[in-house]
């Protein structure tokens, strides 16, 4: 069984992001970029399934600029077998990415697609659900445990009331939560081995997908700075400030 794992190149989670002076977006010039943490968990889970003998091949795919090859090489260093880059200089929105992934699903025919529940740059939490809808596949989101037994996928997910266990027929789409696993440390020998693995580069036009933007960003701004706290002499003053100034009661 093949597993397809989409990964996204994002600003590293340790970096303090800054908004561009013209308010058109986040400044990524000379900023450290890395694999989206949720996608790293997805790669780790796919590799673990391969180590258990459930999966025969792990394919990682990324959509974006040429530098996404670095992210794919990292995924192959974790243990993926080969990579596909859908190269585009356009700003790819979740629907466009889902359409590209759907085309790759049709091409590769994987038995399972595992991806992060959301990217830490836009926090959209849409691509997995859109892919499942476009491909007509069952889905399990926010997975904290994944098992494949007798051709069936059992997925445990955390909900407000506790845990929910879903049983899905394959092929299926799974999005990962933080508690699914802890990605392994990438060693130097594996980084060197990853350089020799196959990395195929495609264009959106090769897959017959239109990636034109459907949403326009009007303005990006930093959240307002929090004001300093104050002390109040009594409960009556506190209630008055909550009612008249904070307007929360």
């Amino acid at each position: 069984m093949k597993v397809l794992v989409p990964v996204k190149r994002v600003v590293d989670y340790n970096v303090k992001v800054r908004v561009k002076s013209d308010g058109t977006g986040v400044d990524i010039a000379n900023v450290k970029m890395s694999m989206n943490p949720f996608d790293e968990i997805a790669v780790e889970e796919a590799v673990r399934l391969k180590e258990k003998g459930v999966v025969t091949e792990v394919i990682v795919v990324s959509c974006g600029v040429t530098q996404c090859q670095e992210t794919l090489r990292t995924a192959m260093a974790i243990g993926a077998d080969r990579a596909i880059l859908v190269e585009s200089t356009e700003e790819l929105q979740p629907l466009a990415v889902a359409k590209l992934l759907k085309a790759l699903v049709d091409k590769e025919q994987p038995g399972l697609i595992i991806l992060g529940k959301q990217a830490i740059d836009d926090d959209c939490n849409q691509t997995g659900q859109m892919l499942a809808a476009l491909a007509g596949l069952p889905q399990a989101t926010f997975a904290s445990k994944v098992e494949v037994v007798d051709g069936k996928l059992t997925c445990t997910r955390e909900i407000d009331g506790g845990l929910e266990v879903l049983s899905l027929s394959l092929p299926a789409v799974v999005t990962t939560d933080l508690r699914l696993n802890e990605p392994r440390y990438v060693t130097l020998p594996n980084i060197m081995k990853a350089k020799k693995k196959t990395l195929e580069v495609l264009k959106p036009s090769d897959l017959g997908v239109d990636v034109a933007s459907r949403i326009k960003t009007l303005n990006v701004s930093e959240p307002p700075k929090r004001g300093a706290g104050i002390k109040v002499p009594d409960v009556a003053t506190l209630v008055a400030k909550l009612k008249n100034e904070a307007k929360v009661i």
Side-chain angles (χ1 to χ4, degrees), residues 73 76 81 191-199:
R73 293 291 179 195
M76 288 191 285
D81 298 294
I191 292 172
M192 300 307 292
K193 288 177 187 175
K195 292 182 179 180
K196 297 179 181 179
K197 292 182 179 179
T198 304
L199 197 160

Side-chain angles (χ1 to χ4, degrees), residues 200-238:
E200 182 182 2
V201 179
L202 302 172
K203 300 286 186 185
S205 56
D206 298 332
L207 300 171
V209 177
D210 175 20
V211 295
S213 297
R214 263 70 175 180
I215 302 170
K216 182 180 179 182
T217 301
L218 300 179
N219 185 56
V220 177
S221 60
E222 292 188 16
K225 288 185 171 56
R226 293 183 61 181
I230 60 169
K231 289 184 178 180
V232 293
D234 50 46
V235 175
T237 308
L238 173 62

Side-chain angles (χ1 to χ4, degrees), residues 40-58:
E40 196 172 358
I41 291 169
V43 175
E44 174 67 26
E45 191 64 24
V47 173
R48 289 187 187 188
L49 289 172
K50 185 185 174 187
E51 290 170 346
K52 290 176 183 176
V54 176
V55 169
T56 55
E57 185 180 27
V58 178

Side-chain angles (χ1 to χ4, degrees), residues 136-214:
L137 298 176
Q139 62 176 309
T141 56
F142 314 140
S144 59
K145 185 178 180 182
V146 172
E147 293 178 306
V148 179
V149 181
D150 298 330
K152 288 278 187 179
L153 177 75
T154 303
C155 178
T156 304
R157 58 195 301 269
E158 296 180 2
I159 58 174
D160 291 341
L163 297 176
E164 181 181 51
V165 180
L166 302 177
S167 178
L168 288 78
S169 58
L170 296 173
V173 177
V174 173
T175 70
T176 64
D177 208 345
L178 277 174
R179 292 179 184 82
L180 181 58
N181 62 51
E182 187 171 335
R184 67 194 69 188
Y185 178 76
V186 180
T187 61
L188 183 59
N190 286 336
I191 292 172
M192 300 307 292
K193 288 177 187 175
K195 292 182 179 180
K196 297 179 181 179
K197 292 182 179 179
T198 304
L199 197 160
E200 182 182 2
V201 179
L202 302 172
K203 300 286 186 185
S205 56
D206 298 332
L207 300 171
V209 177
D210 175 20
V211 295
S213 297
R214 263 70 175 180

